[in-house]
Amino acid sequence: MKHLFLTIAAAVLAVNVNAAPASGPAPDFTAKSLAGPNVKLSELKGKVVLVNFWASWCGPCRQEMPILDALAKANKDSGLVVLGVNQDEESDERDAFLKDNAVSFPILDDSKNEIAKAYKVAAQPSSVFVDRKGNIVHVHEGFKAGDDAAYANTIKELLAK
């Protein structure tokens, strides 16, 4: 029993070590937007940024996309920027998904997982909430029904600051 407890404790610690940081400065990046110019995170200071890591093969990511798009549209004038960081290795799958599921926010190519590594992304999808000063204030891994309310509350709190 003691061995089982130690194994579980080690697994929990390993997951926490590899998980995205829940606070501190957001790692800066510059990435190619599929629909326009490059996006540099540090140039978005003064805005609340939701950086969403996703892939077309991820079922929860597919469910989350229309919710992220609605949040982006509803809060754009208040200072929210949503960035979709796509991790598909093959652009064909990503492009096919986006053709049928267009979004209003920038989709950034991270096919080499450089941004995901900087953020220590351990789950698909992962949403990183960055405050107006460029600091990570919340990380949400995965997506399930009802998470949209938590997203909306976090965004509301950050926009009020």
Side-chain angles (χ1 to χ4, degrees):
M1 184 70 163
K2 182 177 178 183
H3 178 66
L4 177 62
F5 174 76
L6 292 175
T7 302
I8 292 170
V12 169
L13 288 174
V15 169
N16 288 339
V17 167
N18 293 325
S23 64
D28 194 20
F29 61 83
T30 301
K32 173 74 176 137
S33 171
L34 301 184
N38 289 349
V39 173
K40 184 172 177 80
L41 182 65
S42 60
E43 292 177 353
L44 298 173
K45 280 194 179 167
K47 306 243 182 219
V48 171
V49 182
L50 191 165
V51 183
N52 178 261
F53 294 88
W54 70 283
S56 65
W57 48 261
C58 165
C61 299
R62 290 172 166 263
Q63 294 172 346
E64 183 183 49
M65 274 299 185
I67 292 165
L68 294 175
D69 195 44
L71 288 168
K73 288 177 181 175
N75 295 286
K76 181 179 180 180
D77 293 338
S78 300
L80 175 69
V81 175
V82 175
L83 302 174
V85 179
N86 179 262
Q87 295 182 265
D88 281 303
E89 292 178 10
E90 300 294 327
S91 62
D92 294 346
E93 294 175 19
R94 174 200 65 211
D95 295 345
F97 173 77
L98 291 171
K99 182 178 178 185
D100 295 333
N101 302 278
V103 294
S104 61
F105 55 88
I107 300 296
L108 310 179
D109 178 32
D110 190 32
S111 55
K112 295 181 182 176
N113 287 318
E114 293 168 351
I115 302 168
K117 286 178 187 173
Y119 280 78
K120 299 180 180 178
V121 172
Q124 292 289 342
S126 287
S127 292
V128 179
F129 296 82
V130 180
D131 69 12
R132 295 180 191 271
K133 295 178 184 177
N135 294 308
I136 295 173
V137 294
H138 181 68
V139 176
H140 186 97
E141 294 180 333
F143 180 79
K144 63 184 180 320
D147 284 350
D148 52 327
Y151 287 9
N153 287 338
T154 300
I155 290 166
K156 183 179 177 182
E157 288 174 13
L158 291 172
L159 290 173
K161 293 181 181 179

